[in-house]
Amino acid sequence: MSKILIRGAKVLGHDPQDVLIDGETIAEVGTGLTAEGAEVVEAEGKVLLPGLVDLHTHLREPGREDSETVLTGTRAAASGGFTAVFAMANTFPVADTAGVVEQVYRLGRDHGYCDVQPIGAVTVGLEGRKLAELGAMHESAAGVTVFSDDGKCVHDAVIMRRALEYVKAFGGVVAQHAQEPRLTEGAEMNEGVVSAELGLGGWPAVAEESIIARDVLLAEHVGSRVHICHLSTAGSVEIVRWAKSRGIDVTAEVTPHHLLLTDELVRTYNPVYKVNPPLRTERDVLALREALADGTIDIVATDHAPHPHEDKDCEWAAAAMGMVGLETALSVVQETMVDTGLLTWAGVAERMSAKPAEIGGADGHGRPVSAGEPANLTLVDTAYRGSVDPAGFASRSRNTPYEGRELPGRVTHTWLRGKATLVDGKLT
Amino acid sequence: MLRHLISAADLTRDDAVLILDTAEEMARVADRPIKKLPTLRGRTVVNLFFEDSTRTRISFEAAEKRLSADVINFTAKGSSVSKGESLKDTAQTLEAMGVDAVVIRHGASGAPYRLANSGWIDAAVINAGDGTHQHPTQALLDAFTMRRRLVGRDTGLGQDLDGRRITIVGDILHSRVARSNVDLLHTLGAEVTLVAPPTLVPVGVGNWPCEVSYDLDAVLPKSDAVMMLRVQRERMNAAFFPTEREYSRRYGLDGDRMARMPEHAVVMHPGPMVRGMEITAEVADSERCTVVEQVANGVSIRMAVLYLLLGGNEPAVTHTRTEEKSER
Ligand SMILES: [Zn+2]
């Protein structure tokens, strides 16, 4: 069936409208549209958003297919309402050549649950010493525009400067995992009151803030744009706010978990809360929410980091860092930003779809919900409340910090270029 | 009483005083010709040591044997603990063997907490030192030693350390002994002051129930007990302080400094002492230094903890003369 009528949805949270999909595009948006020849999806009371775009996903393939594959990861993405994800480069082998990024890109195309846009490594093997073939990755079939050594920081100031300059030639952007390596040796959690008590190695806020400060100054000096991954502290917010006020071309992302969880949870020593950057304090969480609301932080990105059970069912020190996030992201954003009155659904569409698509250059995504646009759409039952059950996850891994926690909202439908990938909460 | 002993912070004042009083009873056993009680006969205790510590292991082992427990020593040092699975695997092996208590020493903070709270095991868990987190039986034996010296062996029964001023000197940042002592001594009513160079004090210490000073000389005259911590020489290379000599000059305890302490004040050290840097031989060998007593008291404290955790409802020591006879 090529025609779909979504009836009575609150488009971007506004007054109910009908949206008619014809083939791969939105044919019409209005009221009282005719259902003739179309499959009808009753969407009364639900919110319709442009398909979500995640600028920061770890799909683990190639190399750690026991954690996640492009197939399972994109199914998780579709379940969470995403129509495009950017796949981080820290795979095995590292995505630092045209060959690897093309492989990931093709797997995404073949599976068809969402578009997969590979991110290329900034340096060979993520080692921080030698620039990877950034141009070749850009020119490959994958058309890479975002480069990141995520998982590691491009800590050498000269390499960072060169990368920022180099990608200007083809409109690329460097996404920095801001973590000063010397200040975070042996770091296991946020450095502060809780780490002092628990005797766990501290990851100080200044290790993030000092790199962000340096990088925005570098970006200003060479006239490039820089993107800050998973910003996590109140101090980082201030630096980005200052940089923007100065006209520096910087964008920043925050993860859902940094909008909701604090380092107090580490008292359980449960490695499900072990993540990099670490969970911070209540004060940081509130500053991040405010910054996302006022636009200082541009987007929400999941940092979806799947790990197999055995890498988390152990003592804290031995556990892997990271949390899965694709399937719970929108719920957490609803809880922390929408239900608190900080952001409208239109604001959510901006920060989880339009802006990440723009930063990453994902053509056809993050577009307005209007006639003639690609039919990348997500339908959300915002009245739903239920507790998170990882057993139902499409992701191959279950390392969610929200198990058993009640969160609002549920994505019921996702369409990728007019083709349903999720119907009534079930993957197609 | 608690089911596990993971952190000194988990103990209430009454719990702690009960343990100290029980340890006094246990100490009397050491004065008998046969230093053994039948209390834990038929119970199995495992000493699970992922990190080397002969002193602590022997102390627990002596305590377990004096209570007639069956003892299994498991040293995991060098085994493949890097992946972390071995803690869980080992725990489940022990569970299958029907172990009643696990005394665990681990290099990772929180490992005993995980062992006790992850559903891997049913046995009682006693933390014998985890990373830079806690070493609760050390804090208990320190408090026991202080109570004996500052309040009195018999007069101390039922008492806490209300109003005593305790100074802990040295590498607070990496010290599970300091963390445990701050928690326990505060619970027992003592006023604790930490003294160290600022580099060896954790960020976040402001929330601890104690004072922090960088000036040892200013604190000494007001101290009833001074606990010197071991400072590892490697810390120098990591730029925590400039030289060994400078550290000694500012934070080491020598005879001159000891003379500035009140007459009744004692000098403590969790051992093993490295004479020279943090403490001079003159101080270490003086009457005021309690290091040897601390070792002996460690056994009594660990007997008390094992006895109380493993469900000792009966008085631990009374009515045992006939048992003792039958054991001959
Ligand atoms: Zn990262």
Side-chain angles (χ1 to χ4, degrees):
Chain A
M1 188 160 306
S2 67
K3 278 191 179 181
I4 301 163
L5 181 69
I6 305 165
R7 189 145 64 192
K10 295 189 274 182
V11 177
L12 270 54
H14 302 134
D15 290 341
Q17 285 195 298
D18 302 338
V19 175
L20 182 67
I21 300 173
D22 188 357
E24 297 195 350
T25 20
I26 298 170
E28 218 180 330
V29 179
T31 43
L33 297 187
T34 169
E36 211 184 296
E39 176 197 344
V40 177
V41 175
E42 295 295 349
E44 202 184 322
K46 295 182 181 172
V47 169
L48 188 69
L49 300 172
L52 306 181
V53 176
D54 188 17
L55 198 63
H56 193 147
T57 304
H58 295 275
L59 292 177
R60 303 294 187 217
E61 189 177 3
R64 281 309 299 267
E65 290 82 356
D66 59 325
S67 310
E68 193 82 285
T69 62
V70 174
L71 176 61
T72 59
T74 52
R75 282 169 64 89
S79 292
F82 290 88
T83 52
V85 298
F86 284 74
M88 274 300 173
N90 62 339
T91 49
F92 306 97
V94 170
D96 57 3
T97 62
V100 179
V101 293
E102 282 190 356
Q103 179 196 355
V104 172
Y105 176 75
R106 292 229 161 81
L107 283 169
R109 279 276 145 159
D110 293 348
H111 298 319
Y113 279 94
C114 74
D115 286 348
V116 175
Q117 186 53 56
I119 291 173
V122 177
T123 65
V124 175
L126 309 176
E127 283 174 355
R129 284 195 275 275
K130 194 172 174 299
L131 287 183
E133 289 186 353
L134 309 175
M137 288 188 274
H138 176 71
E139 282 159 21
S140 75
V144 175
T145 55
V146 183
F147 299 90
S148 181
D149 277 358
D150 183 61
K152 289 182 176 178
C153 180
V154 182
H155 60 88
D156 183 309
V158 172
I159 298 281
M160 186 61 184
R161 173 197 170 144
R162 301 283 185 245
L164 287 169
E165 286 176 309
Y166 193 82
V167 301
K168 273 202 290 188
F170 42 85
V173 63
V174 178
Q176 177 69 294
H177 171 122
Q179 176 181 5
E180 211 293 316
R182 287 278 280 140
L183 285 172
T184 50
E185 278 170 16
E188 298 188 272
M189 69 170 297
N190 179 50
E191 182 167 72
V193 166
V194 182
S195 69
E197 213 173 291
L198 299 184
L200 290 173
W203 198 134
V206 66
E208 173 173 309
E209 294 154 4
S210 58
I211 293 289
I212 297 175
R214 181 199 74 177
D215 287 354
V216 294
L217 293 173
L218 282 173
E220 176 179 47
H221 181 64
V222 299
S224 297
R225 74 181 169 122
V226 63
H227 176 75
I228 309 299
C229 293
H230 42 52
L231 189 139
S232 71
T233 78
S236 298
V237 167
E238 285 176 40
I239 294 163
V240 171
R241 190 173 282 140
W242 170 83
K244 285 187 166 178
S245 74
R246 201 173 151 96
I248 297 172
D249 200 355
V250 56
T251 53
E253 73 191 31
V254 63
T255 72
H257 49 269
H258 286 112
L259 291 172
L260 182 60
L261 309 175
T262 71
D263 65 352
E264 288 291 331
L265 290 162
V266 182
R267 291 182 189 281
T268 62
Y269 285 107
N270 187 343
V272 79
Y273 301 115
K274 187 173 173 182
V275 67
N276 189 11
L279 299 178
R280 305 290 187 181
T281 67
E282 185 75 22
R283 181 179 155 262
D284 295 304
V285 165
L286 296 176
L288 294 170
R289 289 183 189 180
E290 214 164 277
L292 182 63
D294 71 19
T296 302
I297 295 176
D298 302 84
I299 66 169
V300 175
T302 68
D303 194 6
H304 177 78
H307 291 295
H309 182 66
E310 59 271 22
D311 287 358
K312 287 288 194 181
D313 192 28
C314 54
E315 61 272 27
W316 184 273
M321 289 188 281
M323 306 169 164
V324 292
L326 285 168
E327 288 164 87
T328 48
L330 194 60
S331 293
V332 175
V333 170
Q334 183 180 338
E335 166 133 331
T336 57
M337 301 299 297
V338 182
D339 292 354
T340 53
L342 286 165
L343 211 57
T344 62
W345 283 107
V348 172
E350 173 73 15
R351 286 155 183 79
M352 294 187 77
S353 179
K355 194 73 187 179
E358 182 195 319
I359 294 168
D363 295 338
H365 290 278
R367 304 292 308 160
V369 181
S370 50
E373 296 288 353
N376 296 317
L377 296 165
T378 292
L379 190 61
V380 193
D381 177 3
T382 56
Y384 175 88
R385 287 199 82 87
S387 64
V388 176
D389 179 11
F393 279 3
S395 173
R396 178 160 286 183
S397 294
R398 303 279 181 271
N399 51 307
T400 174
Y402 310 117
E403 180 169 5
R405 183 173 184 135
E406 194 179 275
L407 288 175
R410 191 172 72 108
V411 176
T412 62
H413 294 71
T414 309
W415 292 275
L416 175 65
R417 282 182 291 277
K419 184 176 166 286
T421 54
L422 187 80
V423 175
D424 288 325
K426 292 188 185 67
L427 289 159
T428 57
Chain B
M1 257 312 269
L2 306 162
R3 213 170 84 71
H4 307 289
L5 180 58
I6 306 299
S7 167
D10 297 338
L11 294 168
T12 62
R13 183 218 172 254
D14 288 351
D15 284 341
V17 171
L18 174 65
I19 294 171
L20 301 186
D21 289 353
T22 307
E24 282 292 1
E25 289 183 59
M26 295 297 180
R28 280 182 225 135
V29 176
D31 301 334
R32 298 180 182 185
I34 307 253
K35 301 175 176 32
K36 215 166 161 101
L37 295 172
T39 319
L40 296 186
R41 190 181 285 160
R43 317 292 294 271
T44 304
V45 181
V46 173
N47 298 317
L48 181 58
F49 276 55
F50 288 87
E51 193 183 75
D52 247 349
S53 176
T54 313
R55 295 164 59 98
T56 305
R57 189 181 52 73
I58 287 175
S59 178
F60 269 106
E61 198 174 337
E64 290 149 9
K65 288 185 169 160
R66 281 189 193 168
L67 293 172
S68 306
D70 295 323
V71 179
I72 300 171
N73 285 314
F74 181 95
T75 307
K77 199 191 159 250
S79 65
S80 59
V81 287
S82 59
K83 252 239 140 178
E85 283 152 293
S86 63
L87 176 60
K88 185 184 175 187
D89 292 346
T90 308
Q92 286 177 337
T93 305
L94 300 178
E95 181 74 354
M97 290 162 59
V99 163
D100 297 292
V102 178
V103 173
I104 176 177
R105 169 77 154 233
H106 202 288
S109 300
Y113 184 96
R114 279 292 271 169
L115 188 63
N117 293 287
S118 296
W120 299 337
I121 195 168
D122 262 337
V125 175
I126 298 170
N127 183 1
D130 63 326
T132 52
H133 178 222
Q134 282 274 336
H135 193 358
T137 58
Q138 176 74 43
L140 284 161
L141 78 86
D142 290 337
F144 184 80
T145 306
M146 287 179 224
R147 193 175 77 168
R148 275 191 162 188
R149 282 279 195 133
L150 302 175
V151 187
R153 182 170 176 161
D154 296 318
T155 49
L157 284 176
Q159 303 294 307
D160 55 21
L161 293 168
D162 189 43
R164 312 286 160 167
R165 290 173 300 186
I166 318 294
T167 301
I168 303 176
V169 188
D171 185 356
I172 310 297
L173 180 64
H174 302 96
S175 176
R176 52 192 167 214
V177 176
R179 280 176 176 76
S180 312
N181 265 292
V182 168
D183 289 332
L184 183 68
L185 292 170
H186 171 72
T187 301
L188 289 172
E191 292 164 22
V192 183
T193 303
L194 304 176
V195 180
T199 47
L200 289 174
V201 177
V203 167
V205 75
N207 276 48
W208 293 10
C210 61
E211 299 291 310
V212 177
S213 168
Y214 307 133
D215 183 357
L216 181 57
D217 289 313
V219 180
L220 283 179
K222 300 177 283 189
S223 302
D224 297 308
V226 177
M227 187 182 300
M228 302 304 294
L229 299 175
R230 171 137 173 232
V231 177
Q232 292 179 335
R233 295 201 151 100
E234 307 91 85
R235 304 287 180 230
M236 200 178 87
N237 300 326
F240 285 103
F241 49 85
T243 64
E244 208 175 297
R245 225 157 41 106
E246 174 155 325
Y247 182 88
S248 291
R249 209 157 40 212
R250 293 174 65 83
Y251 299 101
L253 193 60
D254 58 11
D256 285 349
R257 282 211 165 103
M258 189 169 65
R260 271 176 246 156
M261 293 164 50
E263 221 163 301
H264 67 272
V266 293
V267 175
M268 307 181 69
H269 196 296
M273 284 187 288
V274 183
R275 291 157 193 249
M277 182 146 81
E278 74 261 7
I279 195 165
T280 62
E282 182 190 3
V283 177
D285 296 331
S286 85
E287 274 275 292
R288 293 172 152 209
C289 184
T290 62
V291 172
V292 179
E293 286 163 60
Q294 284 171 269
V295 173
N297 292 343
V299 177
S300 306
I301 280 291
R302 285 162 184 139
M303 287 172 77
V305 166
L306 282 159
Y307 166 73
L308 291 167
L309 281 189
L310 288 179
N313 297 317
E314 315 270 298
V317 182
T318 43
H319 315 301
T320 52
R321 290 190 183 277
T322 48
E323 295 272 3
E324 269 180 50
K325 269 178 203 144
S326 67
E327 263 190 37
R328 290 189 190 189

